[in-house]
């Protein structure tokens, strides 16, 4: 079990670092894009005007459903939920000493099955800030589509002392697909020590984590 968690923690840490690097890169490129905007417009005007045309490859993609939204016959494809298939929200709750309630909903056009394990979550890049399971059993998978929502609760601190490290963000992903997590700034710093999360569930009452 230790080896699996260490590997997962390493993937999540790398994803956090990559997200930060991407943000810095995009910021650095903004000025260059603005400076070259006029030149780009002139070049586009001098072109053949084919930018709005649909190519054969585009048509093939739509027909075969390469984007994962169809099976080539107009029917939605049901798949295992990945991080980018979902929209997450985070709210602060006061029950059970305080915890974060995470909701997950499939993006428009997506139908997927969310495994009944706990979310891949962390408050920072340090392994000690990475969230572990509040329990050991894995629940049933949850079908997400349309308005269907799944819930998970995260307790940042499960120890009864003043130890811990303060963090100002919560990072959420799907276990096994930590490559592109969502980051949420917290309203105020939170003390983190041995954080845990419940499994995904369809009932928010079951997403209340309790201290060890």
């Amino acid at each position: 079990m230790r080896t699996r968690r260490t590997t997962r923690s390493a993937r999540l840490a790398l994803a956090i670092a990559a997200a930060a690097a991407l943000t810095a890169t995009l910021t650095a490129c903004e000025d260059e894009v603005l400076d070259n905007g006029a030149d780009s417009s002139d070049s586009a005007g001098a072109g053949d005007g084919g930018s709005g045309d649909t190519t054969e490859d585009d048509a093939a993609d739509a027909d075969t459903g390469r984007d994962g939204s169809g099976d080539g016959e107009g029917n939605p494809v049901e798949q295992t939920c990945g991080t980018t298939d979902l929209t997450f929200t985070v709210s602060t709750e006061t029950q059970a000493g305080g915890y974060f309630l995470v909701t997950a909903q499939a993006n428009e056009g997506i139908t997927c099955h969310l495994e009944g394990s706990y979310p891949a979550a962390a408050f920072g890049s340090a392994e000690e800030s990475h969230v572990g399971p509040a329990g050991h059993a894995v629940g049933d998978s949850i079908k997400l589509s349309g308005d269907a929502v799944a819930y998970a609760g995260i307790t940042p601190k499960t120890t009864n002392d003043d130890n811990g490290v303060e963090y100002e963000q919560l990072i959420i992903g799907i276990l096994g697909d930590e490559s592109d997590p969502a980051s949420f700034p917290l309203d105020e710093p939170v003390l983190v020590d041995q954080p845990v999360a419940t499994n995904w569930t369809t009932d928010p009452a079951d997403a209340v984590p309790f201290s060890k």
Side-chain angles (χ1 to χ4, degrees), residues 60-76:
D61 285 351
D63 184 56
T64 58
R66 290 181 194 170
D67 62 353
S69 61
D71 62 356
E73 297 180 357
N75 301 314

Side-chain angles (χ1 to χ4, degrees), residues 157 159-165 191 193:
K157 182 175 172 62
T159 54
N160 297 317
D161 51 39
D162 296 328
N163 296 329
V165 178
L191 190 63
D193 191 21

Side-chain angles (χ1 to χ4, degrees), residues 42-99:
D42 292 342
S43 297
D48 58 11
S51 58
D53 296 340
T54 300
T55 66
E56 293 182 2
D57 287 344
D58 293 335
D61 285 351
D63 184 56
T64 58
R66 290 181 194 170
D67 62 353
S69 61
D71 62 356
E73 297 180 357
N75 301 314
V77 171
E78 296 188 9
Q79 57 197 21
T80 299
C81 294
T83 298
T84 57
D85 295 324
L86 306 174
T87 296
F88 302 95
T89 60
V90 176
S91 61
T92 303
E93 306 294 330
T94 58
Q95 188 179 353
Y99 69 99

Side-chain angles (χ1 to χ4, degrees), residues 153-200:
I154 297 176
T155 295
K157 182 175 172 62
T158 58
T159 54
N160 297 317
D161 51 39
D162 296 328
N163 296 329
V165 178
E166 287 190 338
Y167 291 91
E168 298 180 349
Q169 66 175 343
L170 176 58
I171 301 155
I172 303 291
I174 296 300
L175 204 63
D177 182 26
E178 301 93 343
S179 59
D180 191 15
S183 179
F184 296 88
L186 303 178
D187 293 335
E188 58 184 17
V190 61
L191 190 63
V192 175
D193 191 21
Q194 298 183 28
V196 298
T198 68
N199 289 340
W200 293 108

Side-chain angles (χ1 to χ4, degrees), residues 8 88 91 93 95-96 98-104 114-123 130-140 142 150-158 170 172-175 194-212:
R8 182 170 63 251
F88 302 95
S91 61
E93 306 294 330
Q95 188 179 353
Y99 69 99
F100 297 103
L101 180 64
V102 181
T103 64
L114 181 61
E115 296 183 357
S117 56
Y118 65 102
F123 291 89
H130 293 198
V131 175
H136 298 290
V138 175
D140 296 331
I142 300 169
Y151 304 89
I154 297 176
T155 295
K157 182 175 172 62
T158 58
L170 176 58
I172 303 291
I174 296 300
L175 204 63
Q194 298 183 28
V196 298
T198 68
N199 289 340
W200 293 108
T201 176
T202 56
D203 187 349
D206 293 332
V208 182
F210 294 95
S211 299
K212 297 178 182 177

